[in-house]
Structure formats: C-alpha cells, structure tokens
Amino acid sequence: MDVLDRAINGDNLSVEELSRLYEYDIFTLGKFADEVRRKKYNDKVFFNMNRHINPSNICADVCKFCAFSASRKNPNPYEMSIDEILSQAISSYKRGAKEVHIVSAHNPNYTYQWFLDLFSEVKKALPHIHLKAMTAAEVDYLDRKFGIGYQKVLEDIAKAGVDSMPGGGAEIFDEKVRKHVCNGKVSSQRWIEIHKYWHSLGKMSNCTMLFGHIENRQNRIDHMLRIKNAQQDLNIVESKKGGFNAFIPLLYQRQNNYLKVEEFPSGQEILKTISIARIILDNVPHIKAYWATLSMNLALVAQEFGADDMDGTIEAESIQSAGGAKSKSGMGRDEMIAQIKNAGFRAIERDSLYNELQEW
Ligand code: V47
C-alpha cells in the first residue's frame, strides 16, 4: 500500500512518512480529502454568527509574526474596559451574534480578577450567548504572572462562564521554529497540557496552526500529529464530552511584522496542507478554512479540499487584519450565505459546538 492509502487507513505513520503526502498532486490529495469530508458532512458548509472582541493590544510577549501587538509594529496601543466590551457584546447579540470570541494580547495591566469579572459580567448580561475565550497562551500567561497554576485558571474561567476555548497560541509546535517566531510564549507541551486539562473538565476547544512563514512541511505534519495524539489520549482517558472540535490552519499574514519570510506558499501548497490535515486528523471532527486568513475565495475552494467550515461573520477583527487580511469589519450574514451557496454547497448556520441551527 502506498502512503496515501495507509494514511487514509489510519495507520500509525511517522512524520517522515506522512510528509510524503505532499508529493501527491493536488487533485489526488483533494479527491481523498473531499471523500472523507463528504462522508461526514456531504455538501454542507458550516458558519456561525459570531463577534470577535480583542480587549487590548498591549502585550508582554514579543512574537515576531504579530502585527497586532502595540509592543511590536502597531503604533496605537489600546485597552478596553469591561463596560466597553460588554456594550460591544450586547450590541452584537442584538444584531444576531450567538457567540462572542474574546481574545486579548497579554496585557500586564489587567488583573486576574479582571478576567473573571469580565466573563461573569458577559454571562450575566447575555446568559444565552456562547462565550469562547482565552487562548492557552493567555491561560499560561496568567498562570506565570500570578503563580496560580493553569488548572486553577481553567477551573476559574469555566466557573466564571467561559464555554469553550479558541485554538489560538498554538503557532507551530516544533520547538526550534517556535523559539524563532515566538520565543517566551507558552511552550508547545504546555499548550497541549492546557487543552487536555480543559477537555478533562468536559469542555471543547479548537486548535490552530500558524503556517506559511518559516516552517517546513515536516513541521506542519509534526504539528498535526501532536494534535491527533492529544485528542487520542483524551478518547482513551476521558469519558466526559470534551476535546478538540475544529482544526484551523491559519495562513500567515505578512504585513507589519518582524518575521523575515523569503517565500510564501502557493495556493496549491495551502490547499494541499488543508487536504492533508483532513486526512491525518481523522479524530478531529471539523477542519475550518478561516476566511479571514485565507481570503473568502480560497476558503470556499478549500471546502472541496477537505474543509467543512468557514468560521463566521466576525463583525470586527484586529489580529489578522493588522497583518494585511481583509477581515477588519467581518462579513454580513447574507453575503456569507450567498457565497457558500454560489460555490455549490448548502449553507448551514451552526452554534459554537457545531450543533446545526438552520439551513439557509
Ligand atoms: O494565535 C497572529 C494568529 C491567532 C498573525 O478557535 C496570525 O475558532 C496570521 O487563534 N498572520 C489568533 N495569523 C486567532 C485565532 C483564531 C481565529 C479564528 C478562530 C479561532 C477559533 C481562533 O492569530 C494567534 C496567531 O496564531 N496570528 N498574527 C499573522 N500575522
């Protein structure tokens, strides 16, 4: 059997073996990934009505790829108050958002209690909204700054109302590349431990991979395998419902940062990466083609190459748009639906845990 058949078969293959998947032509990879995706979801493409809120861009970390942080190339530092965040969340809810996605830079001015107050205030004001908040990098930052222990941070934010965790901060797990692109940030091992502990509380999260910068193909495969293994451990150890919901390959946005990148991936390389993710990550239910980093066009094409989700309407986006993405003011619901349907798919609005809400 060749490596593609063995990968589809779910055989235990090494990073070196799986890296050879990139040698297949894009149509072969796409065909196999599309079969896997269609078996699960047929011609459905998922999206949700969500609102991103980024409370501050003042950051104690110095990730080279980041254009958002005010301690890097962004000349406009800001810090929102709980009231400001609350009023944004409430107005988005009134416009139909069913999820708020709150992720911040690692601002040393916010206290530990500030985060707990923020989450309980959001939940008090909007008990029906899904609160997706706190990357593992933020959890790790609070743990280290306040000496609390990440387990307690996770238990506290869950009590305060956080429903699920986003997948940010994973970047690329390979330690050598990670040291170069985001030295000092949460370690790869700790990122995974934090998600596994969160899952053991019966909670869901996502996982990302920042790609298209200085990492190579093996680094991407290694990243996917670490996620697959983390999810596998969970299935063996835990009976509660928790785990990774979606894998999100985030395409590196190249403007306004300190990372020197010579070559950017072609559209084919990006689609191959998405197809390979669908093939390898057979134990992660969804592959999200995040339109903010891929562009709407490529995110739609990616739905034929293994992806099944676009993310959502976003409304406001500061991290990727600081790096050049066209996502600053999100995307209207009707536009999202029309684009999905024009691409020949069924547009399925989902909630944050992928329960289907409505076919449009
Ligand atoms: O962790 C920072 C990335 C992430 C750049 O869980 C960049 O549903 C590209 O994780 N180019 C935060 N990416 C965003 C994130 C996310 C987004 C949408 C949905 C979900 C989810 C999670 O943004 C960071 C970092 O990897 N990022 N700078 C850049 N120049």
Side-chain angles (χ1 to χ4, degrees):
M1 266 208 289
D2 68 8
V3 70
L4 182 53
D5 291 326
R6 291 170 65 208
I8 293 279
N9 208 25
D11 288 7
N12 227 344
L13 299 175
S14 66
V15 171
E16 287 68 32
E17 287 170 309
L18 286 169
S19 298
R20 288 187 13 235
L21 288 175
Y22 274 102
E23 291 163 19
Y24 287 84
D25 69 82
I26 187 177
F27 300 111
T28 308
L29 278 177
K31 178 176 164 284
F32 277 86
D34 193 48
E35 268 170 27
V36 176
R37 165 283 179 239
R38 276 180 195 272
K39 241 182 235 157
K40 288 174 183 283
Y41 311 112
N42 205 335
D43 55 354
K44 295 175 179 173
V45 167
F46 298 100
F47 74 98
N48 74 342
M49 296 282 291
N50 63 350
R51 166 73 197 237
H52 282 216
I53 301 178
N54 305 117
S56 176
N57 64 353
I58 298 169
C59 196
D61 272 326
V62 286
C63 303
K64 284 203 179 100
F65 54 77
C66 185
F68 169 62
S69 163
S71 57
R72 308 303 284 161
K73 284 206 171 180
N74 189 333
N76 305 309
Y78 72 87
E79 196 175 271
M80 292 167 76
S81 66
I82 291 182
D83 281 346
E84 283 170 309
I85 297 168
L86 210 52
S87 88
Q88 284 194 357
I90 291 169
S91 61
S92 294
Y93 181 72
K94 286 186 183 150
R95 282 192 295 274
K98 299 184 175 77
E99 168 193 289
V100 271
H101 177 156
I102 302 180
V103 165
S104 186
H106 307 163
N107 183 334
N109 304 328
Y110 289 141
T111 62
Y112 184 60
Q113 192 56 43
W114 185 88
F115 286 94
L116 303 183
D117 291 345
L118 167 65
F119 301 140
S120 10
E121 292 287 325
V122 170
K123 265 292 150 123
K124 199 166 83 192
L126 303 168
H128 300 300
I129 209 151
H130 182 102
L131 180 50
K132 181 161 88 176
M134 296 290 276
T135 65
E138 291 178 274
V139 171
D140 175 71
Y141 177 69
L142 292 184
D143 166 14
R144 286 191 282 156
K145 182 163 159 53
F146 298 104
I148 296 165
Y150 70 81
Q151 296 89 340
K152 170 107 174 74
V153 176
L154 293 171
E155 287 159 17
D156 286 349
I157 62 170
K159 266 191 225 130
V162 174
D163 296 298
S164 70
M165 275 174 71
E171 321 312 358
I172 196 86
F173 289 146
D174 177 85
E175 278 72 13
K176 206 160 146 236
V177 180
R178 191 174 188 84
K179 188 156 190 250
H180 184 79
V181 301
C182 56
N183 194 20
K185 197 172 198 167
V186 61
S187 70
S188 306
Q189 192 187 339
R190 183 50 61 94
W191 189 98
I192 288 170
E193 276 169 21
I194 288 172
H195 279 264
K196 283 170 88 166
Y197 191 76
W198 181 249
H199 299 164
S200 79
L201 301 176
K203 301 278 196 180
M204 304 297 291
S205 67
N206 289 335
C207 42
T208 56
M209 172 178 77
L210 183 67
F211 78 111
H213 45 92
I214 61 159
E215 90 294 347
N216 60 29
R217 289 170 166 181
Q218 281 83 358
N219 300 146
R220 292 180 212 148
I221 301 287
D222 165 64
H223 191 99
M224 292 175 202
L225 279 182
R226 293 197 208 192
I227 285 169
K228 182 175 175 150
N229 291 338
Q231 183 88 321
Q232 235 154 25
D233 293 350
L234 168 101
N235 292 341
I236 295 163
V237 178
E238 292 300 328
S239 52
K240 287 188 212 159
K241 191 170 161 20
F244 291 121
N245 235 334
F247 175 67
I248 311 158
L250 294 169
L251 181 65
Y252 167 64
Q253 306 296 299
R254 53 189 87 162
Q255 291 173 18
N256 307 323
N257 69 54
Y258 287 99
L259 195 60
K260 289 193 175 43
V261 178
E262 305 288 325
E263 244 183 86
F264 298 103
S266 62
Q268 287 203 23
E269 183 76 7
I270 294 165
L271 291 175
K272 279 188 178 186
T273 302
I274 290 168
S275 294
I276 290 171
R278 181 62 288 168
I279 291 166
I280 293 181
L281 293 171
D282 54 358
N283 60 357
V284 175
H286 299 276
I287 305 289
K288 183 186 287 190
Y290 184 40
W291 67 266
T293 65
L294 291 178
S295 81
M296 199 63 187
N297 287 347
L298 198 55
L300 288 167
V301 176
Q303 307 300 321
E304 295 184 31
F305 286 80
D308 56 272
D309 184 48
M310 302 285 289
D311 197 79
T313 44
I314 301 176
E315 278 199 50
E317 198 284 317
S318 309
I319 301 176
Q320 272 81 29
S321 56
K326 305 275 177 287
S327 46
K328 201 172 178 11
S329 8
M331 149 129 355
R333 185 196 66 191
D334 294 346
E335 171 75 4
M336 172 72 80
I337 293 165
Q339 296 250 23
I340 294 172
K341 287 171 125 177
N342 286 344
F345 289 96
R346 288 158 67 195
I348 309 291
E349 185 186 340
R350 59 163 175 85
D351 70 10
S352 305
L353 302 178
Y354 287 87
N355 298 302
E356 294 184 21
L357 299 179
Q358 183 169 355
E359 174 169 355
W360 289 89

